[in-house]
Amino acid sequence: MKVLVINCGSSSLKYQLINMDNESVLAKGLVERIGIDGSILTQKVEGREKFIIEQPMKDHKDAIKLVLNALVDKTNGVINDMSEISAVGHRVVH
């Protein structure tokens, strides 16, 4: 089972895709400057170069779309399609 864990801030989004079968991190990343000039996504996968996308993201909806696209990217992704993700967790701070 694969779980996508996200943590959203006011202008950032951190994420990890975890394989719960062996508790390994398949990918982790950070989206910075959401809604600000110079938006960037950086995704890290063990044993690979960082995957970086620089493009405007007006809101968190744009950011999560970019994250999902990065996870399924043919060259830099770690899953074939979104159906491989069984659950999504979100950290909420009050």
Side-chain angles (χ1 to χ4, degrees):
M1 176 168 85
K2 295 178 180 90
V3 176
L4 177 62
V5 180
I6 59 175
N7 178 3
C8 292
S10 60
S11 64
S12 67
L13 186 157
K14 296 175 189 171
Y15 66 95
Q16 290 188 349
L17 183 63
I18 302 169
N19 181 348
M20 294 307 295
D21 295 336
N22 59 11
E23 297 183 8
S24 64
V25 176
L26 300 174
K28 62 181 173 180
L30 171 63
V31 182
E32 300 174 275
R33 302 187 60 83
I34 299 168
I36 305 169
D37 289 341
S39 300
I40 185 168
L41 176 146
T42 305
Q43 178 168 283
K44 299 174 188 173
V45 175
E46 186 70 34
R48 295 191 203 167
E49 294 287 321
K50 289 181 184 176
F51 179 44
I52 298 172
I53 301 172
E54 295 180 55
Q55 79 177 50
M57 291 172 250
K58 67 178 189 268
D59 54 27
H60 284 74
K61 183 177 177 181
D62 286 349
I64 196 68
K65 284 181 185 178
L66 202 58
V67 166
L68 297 176
N69 288 339
L71 290 172
V72 299
D73 183 83
K74 295 294 181 198
T75 305
N76 299 290
V78 292
I79 56 175
N80 292 318
D81 63 61
M82 298 312 301
S83 68
E84 293 184 44
I85 298 175
S86 301
V88 177
H90 183 262
R91 179 174 175 252
V92 177
V93 178
H94 293 276

